[in-house]
DNA sequence: TCGAATTTGTGCGTATGTATC
DNA sequence: GGATACATACGCACAAATTCG
């Protein structure tokens, strides 16, 4: 009784999967069968399989069964690269994938930045109720698989107000990306910074991304800099079960 | 009945937290109280709170209660930077933190690389049972908080065998890091590549890291390159609830 | 110091809804 | 349509940790 039963059962199931006794795609015995096999209640077996579902080793389909996941295929989201590797390399492929057919929806509005965003933008104290940021909410979808990335960006109105780029997705520079848009008003974006972590999805996020409640998402907090000035921050949410973030760079000082 | 009860309850609790009705550090009503309040069974309430536990909004202490988590403090693990920002900036702090007092344990052995590692190292087919990689398993601990990072690295023996750096943590170049060690045998490491995702921790990982079973970890698959040759790959595991990965770089072509 | 009350974690058994085959 | 399987929900019981008088 050192470990809870459901942990023991999960461990044994994981072992059976990794040694190949349960092949990818294979269906697990039904709950009541596993319960009999492990001499445990069905609820306990369920907790065990839930653990493995969250680990990404299993997938379940109501009415059909619980299956060993096929080699998890993750979309590679290339966040940085410092040189082109030769054709045919993984990088080429990933870049190509990333640029593949897809679409996005967005909506922009001005608002007063919440405290946490103020801090990231270096905004200082709010001025009454005055709106001081442009917020844009994006949903990115691939044509074949539906939504796969959510993003919310904030840009200080102190920089963009009255310029042609105030609305990120309107005007002559719509959809051109932060770097190009700010270049159009003479602001040279020269650096980025991303902080990555992960947590369970909120209900909203899970619904928008079409994943189960409580499944895992990665959060990328991005900032773009022009010198020491932060010109944009964004929160990017992707499902961890289907996405990898790819970073690469050179070794050594510069 | 559009959404399951436990999702509705979780949503309402999240709302009560975000609007400040439940302050950080505050204790939630006990299970049976929430059950009465929401007209649901205790098990359902438990599922709701588990959702929020995994989201990181709540923490529970057996016997004591369930509490709204204080502002989550995450250790910043700086994985890349391309220039020093001025003193006092977050980067300086993070770099300092990262270099702070800590310790690690390791063990090395030779083995035949498993298929997945072969692929990442570009090794080709195995030669009988012959050992072809040096595997080193690390546990990193901070002096005050115990283990916080696990790492397993693989280096091809075809490169290091018979050299002073064959054992990463022994010999004249012990503990110097991949770049310096390989430089010592004339191999110039010039690039790195990291792929990041997240999943639930395995039982082993959870135990080693001192976190709950099924809590979320981030996985970093790292590769070091010398030209087109992969000289080292590593899997790095950190608990998502207490760690951020930090990347940054320059904007534009080079 | 000790014991009683409280609270979470775990486990059991059952019932019902709904999707799949 | 019927059988099967998972998802959800209910209610109960007990162990272990904590709290507090």
């Amino acid at each position: 009784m050192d470990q809870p039963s459901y942990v023991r059962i999960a461990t044994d199931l994981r072992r059976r999967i990794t040694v190949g006794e349960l092949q990818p795609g294979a269906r697990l015995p039904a709950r009541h069968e596993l319960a009999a096999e492990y001499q445990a209640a069905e609820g306990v077996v369920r907790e065990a399989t839930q653990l493995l579902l969250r680990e990404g080793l299993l997938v379940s389909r109501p009415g059909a069964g619980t299956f060993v996941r096929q080699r998890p295929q993750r979309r590679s989201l290339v966040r940085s690269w410092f040189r082109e590797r030769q054709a045919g390399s993984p990088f080429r492929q990933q870049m190509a994938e990333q640029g593949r057919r897809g679409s996005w929806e967005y909506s922009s509005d001005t608002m007063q930045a919440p405290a946490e965003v103020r801090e990231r933008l270096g905004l200082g104290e709010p001025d009454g109720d005055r709106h001081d940021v442009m917020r844009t909410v994006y949903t990115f979808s691939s044509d074949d698989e539906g939504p796969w990335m959510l993003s919310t960006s904030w840009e200080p109105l102190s920089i963009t107000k009255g310029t042609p780029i105030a609305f990120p997705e309107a005007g002559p520079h719509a959809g051109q990306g932060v770097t190009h848009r700010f270049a159009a008003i003479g602001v040279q974006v020269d650096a980025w910074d991303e902080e990555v972590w992960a947590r369970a999805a909120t209900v909203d996020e899970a619904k928008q991304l079409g994943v189960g409640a409580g499944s895992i998402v990665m959060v990328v907090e991005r900032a773009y800099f022009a010198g020491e000035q932060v010109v944009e921050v964004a929160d990017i949410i992707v499902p961890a079960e289907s996405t990898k973030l790819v970073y690469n760079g050179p070794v050594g000082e510069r």
Side-chain angles (χ1 to χ4, degrees), chain A:
Chain A
M1 200 55 91
D2 188 23
Q3 288 185 324
S5 303
Y6 68 90
V7 172
R8 279 192 309 100
I9 297 173
T11 303
D12 190 61
L13 287 173
R14 195 186 298 102
R15 180 190 61 75
R16 289 166 70 176
I17 293 169
T18 52
V19 304
E21 181 185 328
L22 292 166
Q23 297 280 333
R27 209 194 80 187
L28 258 64
R31 265 220 292 272
H32 66 271
E33 294 179 276
L34 287 176
E37 183 179 342
Y38 287 107
Q39 305 264 343
E42 286 198 27
V44 177
V45 170
R46 176 157 163 66
E47 279 188 278
T49 53
Q50 274 197 326
L51 225 50
L52 300 182
L53 286 169
R54 286 202 296 272
E55 276 181 36
L57 258 64
L58 301 178
V59 287
S60 65
R61 301 208 320 275
T66 303
F67 303 84
V68 180
R69 175 171 247 149
Q70 309 280 358
R71 167 81 75 96
Q73 285 206 5
R74 288 186 162 88
R75 174 196 310 268
S76 287
L77 189 57
V78 179
R79 305 299 300 173
S80 78
W81 70 101
F82 79 105
R83 65 174 183 187
E84 301 274 329
R85 298 192 166 270
Q86 78 279 37
S89 78
F91 282 97
R92 279 282 195 205
Q93 292 170 27
Q94 289 161 3
M95 294 301 299
E97 280 174 40
Q98 198 165 1
R100 71 184 167 190
R101 67 229 164 281
S103 59
W104 64 94
E105 299 182 353
Y106 62 88
S107 74
S108 291
D109 58 349
T110 63
M111 65 182 301
Q112 184 169 78
E116 184 255 350
V117 171
R118 305 195 83 73
E119 198 173 327
R120 287 161 63 190
L121 283 172
L123 275 191
E125 290 306 305
D127 172 12
D129 292 334
R130 209 157 67 91
H131 288 196
D132 48 15
V133 292
M134 175 73 68
R135 176 182 60 179
T136 307
V137 178
Y138 294 89
T139 306
F140 294 87
S141 303
S142 75
D143 294 342
D144 34 353
E145 299 166 58
W148 64 278
M149 180 168 88
L150 310 175
S151 172
T152 305
S153 81
W154 293 268
E155 297 175 353
L157 290 175
S158 58
I159 303 177
T160 63
K161 195 171 187 180
T163 75
I165 69 160
F167 282 86
E169 299 291 334
H173 303 286
Q176 285 189 1
V178 174
T179 307
H180 286 91
R181 287 178 45 246
F182 278 88
I185 60 167
V187 175
Q188 194 61 40
V189 176
D190 58 3
W192 56 268
D193 172 21
E194 299 201 344
E195 305 194 352
V196 180
W197 72 88
R199 56 167 170 75
T202 66
V203 176
D204 271 6
E205 290 162 351
K207 188 177 294 182
Q208 289 185 69
L209 291 170
V211 297
S215 61
I216 300 173
V217 293
M218 290 187 282
V219 183
V220 179
E221 278 190 8
R222 177 184 69 191
Y224 274 116
F225 295 86
E228 301 304 330
Q229 163 96 48
V230 180
V231 299
E232 190 239 33
V233 300
D235 285 353
I236 296 160
I237 310 276
V238 290
E241 64 190 31
S242 57
T243 315
K244 281 197 294 203
L245 304 175
V246 178
Y247 294 88
N248 70 94
V251 161
E253 317 301 330
R254 43 187 50 227

